């Protein structure tokens, strides 16, 4: 899961010094710099299961090891890369339990022209629309990616398989101009891509188009993102397109308090596939950590796959959490989530610890 201490963004330089650890620079000479960094994340959680007992686990919660570097191309342009790998901190011992999967990797260039990159990283819909509300330590609320997971694409759950939506991407992001910034990009799936034995996700070379814009003035910002998901087809006999994602988020920061509101939609091409998400969240940095929470109303069409999957067509979701900084590199947290699903499925609580370097 995505893990960041958002107090560093809302509580100013003092909180930044208290809650973040710097990467270790292993080389910095002649305009070339290389850093290594990582974290260990462990959590105890219990989560209710539909028609079954709760699942409890002491497990890894997204531990990573990474490297990043940059090189000065000229006085204006810097080339850079970043690569992250995941490992299971709770069961690291053993020949096959080391770095066991990639998280993100990309290469790009940035300067006064903006930022252009290619590789794999989180979708813009996550970064600009969903994260301001619920970029938490363990539990998130549902979103348009959850709606994607309810629709099979060539028997693959797009919303659950991050390799499908986060990889094979190109993106350009503009510099901030008078408070305005925009981004455009694509997730490309060619004939050479293979998913679960299929030669191609949409049976032809397809590229999505996503774009977003953000405007910031003082402590207020608003962002909007659109993704046409054209790299996927719905699992139907007529090759119907999957649909589109839309989202808009506004947030306001004053001192150590940040409040965010969100409206998000998965607009399916098929009948009875639309799902809407309306949420509000807040986060407050109290000096030694954060307290935070969010509420969301989910409205799905009556006969949608989403409604069939979760037992109803509307839900009231919320989560609560708090962090406590043990040191500049280490913190602990507790979180609770309720999703209003049939049989209390997905409700749960977690307590965990994070150490970053």
């Amino acid at each position: 899961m995505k893990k960041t201490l958002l107090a560093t963004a809302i509580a100013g330089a003092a909180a930044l010094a208290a809650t973040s650890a710097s990467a270790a620079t292993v080389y910095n000479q002649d305009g070339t710099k290389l850093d290594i960094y990582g974290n260990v994340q462990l959590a105890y959680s219990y989560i209710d299961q539909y028609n079954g007992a709760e699942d409890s686990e002491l497990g890894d919660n997204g531990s990573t090891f990474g490297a990043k570097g940059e090189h000065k191309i000229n006085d204006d342009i810097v080339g850079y890369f970043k690569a992250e790998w995941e490992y299971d901190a709770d069961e690291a011992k053993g020949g096959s339990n080391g770095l066991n999967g990639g998280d993100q990797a990309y290469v790009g260039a940035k300067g006064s022209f903006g930022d252009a990159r290619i590789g794999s990283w989180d979708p813009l819909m996550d970064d600009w629309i969903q994260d301001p509300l619920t970029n938490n330590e363990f539990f998130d609320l549902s979103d348009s990616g959850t709606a994607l997971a309810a629709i099979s694409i060539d028997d693959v759950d797009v919303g659950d398989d991050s390799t499908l939506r986060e990889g094979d991407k190109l993106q350009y992001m503009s510099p901030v101009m008078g408070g305005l910034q925009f981004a455009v990009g694509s997730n490309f799936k060619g004939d050479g891509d293979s998913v679960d034995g299929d030669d191609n996700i949409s049976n032809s070379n397809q590229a999505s188009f996503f774009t977003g814009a953000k405007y910031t003035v003082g402590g207020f910002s608003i962002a909007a993102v659109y993704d046409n998901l054209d790299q996927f087809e719905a699992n139907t006999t007529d090759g119907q397109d999957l649909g589109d994602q839309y989202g808009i988020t506004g947030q306001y920061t004053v001192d150590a308090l940040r409040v965010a509101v969100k409206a998000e939609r998965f607009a399916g091409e098929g009948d009875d596939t639309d799902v809407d998400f309306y949420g509000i969240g807040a986060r407050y940095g109290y000096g030694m950590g954060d307290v935070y929470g969010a509420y969301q109303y989910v409205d799905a069409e009556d006969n949608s796959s989403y409604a069939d999957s979760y037992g109803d067509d509307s839900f009231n979701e919320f989560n609560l959490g708090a962090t406590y900084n043990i040191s500049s590199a280490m913190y602990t947290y507790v979180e609770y989530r309720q999703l209003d699903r049939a049989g209390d499925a997905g409700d749960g609580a977690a307590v965990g610890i994070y150490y970053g370097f």
Side-chain angles (χ1 to χ4, degrees):
M1 299 181 71
K2 299 165 294 183
K3 303 290 165 263
T4 56
L5 264 183
L6 294 184
T8 61
I10 65 172
L16 178 61
T19 59
S20 66
S22 298
T25 299
V26 297
Y27 182 86
N28 190 0
Q29 188 174 344
D30 300 326
T32 297
K33 182 180 179 182
L34 176 64
D35 294 339
I36 60 171
Y37 64 95
N39 57 69
V40 178
Q41 302 184 51
L42 292 163
Y44 172 78
S45 63
Y46 76 86
I47 302 174
D48 288 330
Q49 307 297 310
Y50 182 62
N51 287 335
E54 64 188 31
D55 272 353
S56 61
E57 179 184 16
L58 175 61
D60 180 79
N61 190 37
S63 301
T64 60
F65 180 82
K68 60 182 179 180
E70 61 181 42
H71 173 71
K72 186 176 180 181
I73 297 173
N74 58 39
D75 289 341
D76 182 53
I77 301 176
V78 173
Y80 65 89
F81 85 93
K82 184 175 184 179
E84 285 186 357
W85 300 270
E86 296 182 337
Y87 61 94
D88 294 328
D90 62 318
E91 297 176 344
K93 188 176 180 62
S96 61
N97 292 331
L99 300 179
N100 55 24
D103 188 15
Q104 58 181 326
Y106 52 84
V107 62
K110 58 186 177 181
S112 61
F113 70 93
D115 186 313
R117 67 172 63 168
I118 183 171
S120 60
W121 61 91
D122 290 342
L124 189 66
M125 188 70 69
D126 284 14
D127 291 342
W128 282 13
I129 303 301
Q130 298 163 3
D131 286 354
L133 210 71
T134 58
N135 188 19
N136 300 329
E137 306 301 326
F138 194 92
F139 288 114
D140 286 333
L141 301 183
S142 59
D143 51 47
S144 56
T146 313
L148 289 172
I151 301 176
S152 293
I153 311 304
D154 293 338
D155 298 322
V156 177
D157 285 336
V158 173
D160 288 340
D161 194 333
S162 60
T163 62
L164 298 181
R165 299 184 57 231
E166 296 181 13
D168 304 314
K169 289 202 303 187
L170 307 97
Q171 178 182 282
Y172 167 74
M173 186 171 292
S174 76
V176 179
M177 301 168 290
L180 179 65
Q181 186 177 34
F182 70 88
V184 293
S186 178
N187 174 222
F188 175 74
K189 297 298 180 184
D191 291 332
D193 283 304
S194 178
V195 178
D196 283 0
D198 292 317
D199 290 333
N200 186 260
I201 296 172
S202 60
N203 298 319
S204 63
N205 290 315
Q206 291 287 341
S208 73
F209 171 75
F210 63 84
T211 185
K214 180 190 293 186
Y215 179 72
T216 303
V217 54
F220 173 77
S221 69
I222 186 169
V225 174
Y226 165 73
D227 191 331
N228 68 7
L229 300 172
D230 273 2
Q231 73 275 44
F232 303 117
E233 288 180 357
N235 192 19
T236 58
T237 56
D238 59 0
Q240 189 177 57
D241 289 341
L242 176 61
D244 305 274
Q245 287 178 285
Y246 303 86
I248 184 169
T249 293
Q251 52 185 321
Y252 181 71
T253 301
V254 54
D255 297 327
L257 174 67
R258 189 194 64 193
V259 179
V261 294
K262 178 191 77 170
E264 187 180 1
R265 162 172 276 210
F266 170 69
E269 290 293 330
D271 294 335
D272 302 319
T273 55
D274 296 349
V275 188
D276 294 309
F277 305 84
Y278 306 99
I280 182 170
R283 181 177 288 259
Y284 178 74
Y286 63 89
M288 293 301 295
D290 293 352
V291 290
Y292 49 91
Y295 164 79
Q296 182 170 251
Y297 176 70
V298 182
D299 184 22
E301 291 192 86
D302 291 346
N303 299 314
S304 67
S305 298
Y306 195 95
D308 291 341
S309 297
Y310 299 117
D312 204 346
D313 57 8
S314 63
F315 310 91
N316 293 285
E317 306 175 345
F318 75 89
N319 62 359
L320 299 169
T323 66
Y324 177 78
N325 301 322
I326 300 170
S327 69
S328 62
M330 190 175 185
Y331 65 88
T332 186
Y333 62 87
V334 60
E335 286 186 359
Y336 173 76
R337 179 180 71 178
Q338 184 170 309
L339 292 179
D340 193 24
R341 302 287 191 261
D344 296 329
D347 294 358
V351 58
I353 191 165
Y354 173 103
Y355 184 93
F357 59 89

